[in-house]
Amino acid sequence: MRIFSYFCSMNGLNLPPYAIRVREKDGRRQIFDFLRRKYVALTPEEWVRQHFVHFLVEHKGYPKGLLQNEMELRVGEKRLRCDTVVYDRQMRPLMIVEYKAPDVELTERVVEQVMAYNSLLQVDYVAISNGRQHFCWRLDYEKREYSPVANIPDYT
């Protein structure tokens, strides 16, 4: 019952529902990450991530096998972690998605964070989401600019 009340407090996302798999283990709430094929700690950010990746796969046509959660990047001794990376069919990074908890405002600092990851990956799209708001940009490397995209693009 405690898990149910926890979810009720995390509702209100601007993402479609899906068949959520949760459990409580050793007094900790966990949610099943179908990309990593394991249960992970259920945090507000993870709640958003799981809804968003299901949205990409189930509603936008992204192949499940071309998404990766928690991708680690290294810059010298520094380690960075991309929340989700989407690949094209040639396994080149296509989009980076950065998640925040629903109560976290999506500011310029969040955009700067995802753009720092992109300096290593050089993707076509970057997106940010707190589950309530979602923003996406298409990057034009020739013009050295990025422009907003009205909706998260379909995979095709």
Side-chain angles (χ1 to χ4, degrees), residues 64-76:
K64 175 182 163 184
L66 298 180
L67 280 78
Q68 180 180 358
N69 282 342
E70 298 285 330
M71 180 185 171
E72 185 177 282
L73 301 172
R74 293 184 185 190
V75 181

Side-chain angles (χ1 to χ4, degrees), residues 1-7 21-31 39-40 42:
M1 225 27 178
R2 291 185 328 185
I3 290 177
F4 179 74
S5 63
Y6 183 71
F7 291 122
R21 290 173 49 193
V22 296
R23 71 180 184 188
E24 193 162 325
K25 184 176 181 185
D26 300 326
R28 295 193 173 121
R29 296 174 190 98
Q30 297 180 324
I31 189 167
Y39 281 90
V40 297
L42 178 53

Side-chain angles (χ1 to χ4, degrees), residues 8-24:
C8 289
S9 69
M10 297 179 84
N11 65 2
L13 298 187
N14 185 17
L15 290 163
Y18 74 97
I20 301 164
R21 290 173 49 193
V22 296
R23 71 180 184 188
E24 193 162 325

